[in-house]
Amino acid sequence: MCNCDDPNHNHDKISRRTALRGGLAATAAAATTVAATTASAQTVDRYADSPDAVLPPSNMKLDLSRAALVVTDPQVDFLSPDGVTWGVVGPSVTEHNTVENIESLFKAAKAADITVAVSPHYYYPTDHGWKFEGALEKLMHKIGMFDRKGPLDLDGFEGSGADWMPQYKQYINDGKTIVTSPHKVYGNDTNDLSLQLRKQGVDQVILSGMSANLCTESHMRELLEQGFEVAVVKDATAAAIIPDGDGYLAALTNFRFMANAVWTTEEAVALMKAAG
């Protein structure tokens, strides 16, 4: 217990987040060790495209006049070592260079002057009163992930787990980027992303962000159902690796099966430059 006399101190809040982050990291430690050992023992990248692939190749042609970059959950709790999920997503984020790749997409999209939209994940106190939850919802609420004090209250937001990664703020806070209403579980069927894109005349989406098999995949599915053409940038996302499964591998399989295109960051940036 802190003995600080300052009534405005936030030591308890910091200690709680540190404890939760540490607990989650300990839970995932065995899985991370196994994943690292498996990866080093393999001579073939477990995420590489199959040489025996039978799915038809993509024929998506990027048209900047009707395209947008969409980034899901570019937030501290997913992408920073200070975030509460780093213990389980950190190895994947690091392996795929996710943080830097998302920034490269922001830079390229701004240079190409296309629509950029961010779909954030926020939880307010009322969301913690839900009567039933799925496995990851339970975990996110337990560890205080993406917590805010209320929909109209930004007290404590700056630098919190719900805040943007610091290096992305120059792009998101430029007065041009669309910040949608929050999605509450995984997909954008619960926010205004599709409406915002339609109002911009967008029907092509370059999709990136966190996390691969949860919000990013759910956004892909909903956008496809809404009639958008979607290219997923596979190394501008990442996912948890735990004893229950490799979230990134699961998402990558579905990206290949469903997306109109699956690109690397290098490919996406080159295509935006060429199309401009």
Side-chain angles (χ1 to χ4, degrees), residues 61-68 112-115 202 204 206 271-276:
K61 304 297 183 184
L62 185 62
D63 180 351
L64 298 185
S65 69
R66 57 190 185 92
D113 197 28
I114 65 173
T115 298
V202 167
Q204 280 191 338
I206 302 166
L271 287 166
M272 280 189 270
K273 289 180 178 178

Side-chain angles (χ1 to χ4, degrees), residues 15 31 49 59-61 101-102 105 122 124-125 142 154 165 181 207-209 216 243 271:
S15 297
D49 294 336
N59 61 358
M60 180 174 172
K61 304 297 183 184
N101 287 338
I102 290 174
L105 293 176
Y122 298 139
Y124 308 133
K142 179 180 179 181
L154 287 175
M165 288 288 284
S181 56
L207 182 63
S208 65
T216 310
L271 287 166

Side-chain angles (χ1 to χ4, degrees), residues 80-159:
S80 169
D82 294 328
V84 294
T85 66
W86 189 253
V88 293
V89 303
S92 184
V93 170
T94 301
E95 178 178 359
H96 302 296
N97 203 36
T98 305
V99 173
E100 293 78 7
N101 287 338
I102 290 174
E103 184 171 14
S104 293
L105 293 176
F106 272 128
K107 287 181 180 178
K110 292 298 181 180
D113 197 28
I114 65 173
T115 298
V116 176
V118 171
S119 179
H121 206 146
Y122 298 139
Y123 285 130
Y124 308 133
T126 50
D127 299 323
H128 287 270
W130 291 355
K131 301 302 182 184
F132 58 91
E133 302 161 306
L136 264 295
E137 294 169 67
K138 292 177 184 176
L139 178 59
M140 287 189 286
H141 285 163
K142 179 180 179 181
I143 64 178
M145 191 173 181
F146 301 136
D147 271 359
R148 282 178 48 183
K149 292 188 176 181
L152 303 178
D153 189 347
L154 287 175
D155 183 35
F157 176 78
E158 186 74 22

